[in-house]
């Protein structure tokens, strides 16, 4: 799964937004590309956090490895957030701008979800686990909206 995340991450970085501006049907093409890349990346990140949370609860990984993996997911999502903000600045329609804005909010929610899991890894407290479960459920509900 990590290789799939790397492929998607690499593809999203290599996407040259200036090339998109030069094509015909820019707005519909941009919306399609943004929606596909961002939602796929977010879904894979969500699945990774979900799977890791199950391993973390079972204590099948060392704390150091758990934090390293979770931190790398946030690094990937930091890059996605930066890319989306760049795309937002060149969006030519309100429809594109709204989609990008909504995706940025979702990336930020996913990063907070991940931070809640990292906090739980360090504390192992029920309060931190409850905070993670709440944020994780909220991210899933918001993520499903992009697939419906």
């Amino acid at each position: 799964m990590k290789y799939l995340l790397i492929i998607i991450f690499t593809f999203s970085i290599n996407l040259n937004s200036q090339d998109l501006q030069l094509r015909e049907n820019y707005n519909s093409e941009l919306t399609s590309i943004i929606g596909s890349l961002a939602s796929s990346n977010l879904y894979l990140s969500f699945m990774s956090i979900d799977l890791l949370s199950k391993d973390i609860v079972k204590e099948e990984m060392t704390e150091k490895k758990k934090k390293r993996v979770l931190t790398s997911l946030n690094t990937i999502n930091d890059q996605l957030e930066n890319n989306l903000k760049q795309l937002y600045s060149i969006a030519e329609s309100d429809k594109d701008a709204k989609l990008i804005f909504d995706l940025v909010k979702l990336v930020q929610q996913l990063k907070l979800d991940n931070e809640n899991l990292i906090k739980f890894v360090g504390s192992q407290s029920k309060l931190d686990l409850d905070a993670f479960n709440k944020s994780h459920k909220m991210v899933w509900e918001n993520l499903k909206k992009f697939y419906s």
Side-chain angles (χ1 to χ4, degrees), residues 9-132:
F9 177 69
T10 303
F11 181 72
S12 68
I13 289 174
N14 290 331
L15 184 63
N16 186 339
S17 60
Q18 291 183 354
D19 289 343
L20 292 175
Q21 289 179 324
L22 302 176
R23 296 182 184 161
E24 291 183 34
N25 298 327
Y26 165 74
N27 286 327
S28 62
E29 189 173 348
L30 177 64
T31 301
S32 176
I33 290 169
I34 292 168
S36 178
L37 286 175
S39 63
S40 296
N41 191 333
L42 290 169
Y43 181 71
L44 290 172
S45 291
F46 177 85
M47 286 178 42
S48 297
I49 292 168
D50 191 59
L51 292 171
L52 287 167
S53 71
K54 289 168 179 44
D55 283 345
I56 286 168
V57 170
K58 292 179 185 176
E59 298 186 15
E60 293 179 2
M61 282 195 227
T62 65
E63 183 176 336
K64 183 178 179 179
K65 184 174 182 180
K66 293 171 193 176
K67 286 184 176 180
R68 186 175 68 238
V69 171
L70 292 168
T71 300
S72 70
L73 285 171
N74 262 3
T75 301
I76 290 168
N77 285 318
D78 283 340
Q79 183 61 51
L80 176 60
E81 182 179 4
N82 289 335
N83 290 345
L84 288 169
K85 287 178 178 178
Q86 289 172 330
L87 286 171
Y88 183 83
S89 71
I90 63 167
E92 292 185 348
S93 73
D94 291 341
K95 180 181 176 184
D96 290 344
K98 180 173 179 356
L99 171 68
I100 297 166
F101 181 78
D102 291 345
L103 287 168
V104 168
K105 286 192 326 188
L106 188 53
V107 170
Q108 291 168 344
Q109 291 172 355
L110 187 62
K111 287 170 42 181
L112 178 61
D113 184 45
N114 195 30
E115 288 297 326
N116 285 336
L117 186 54
I118 291 170
K119 189 173 180 183
F120 170 71
V121 167
S123 72
Q124 294 293 304
S125 79
K126 180 166 176 12
L127 186 64
D128 290 336
L129 179 59
D130 290 344
F132 165 72

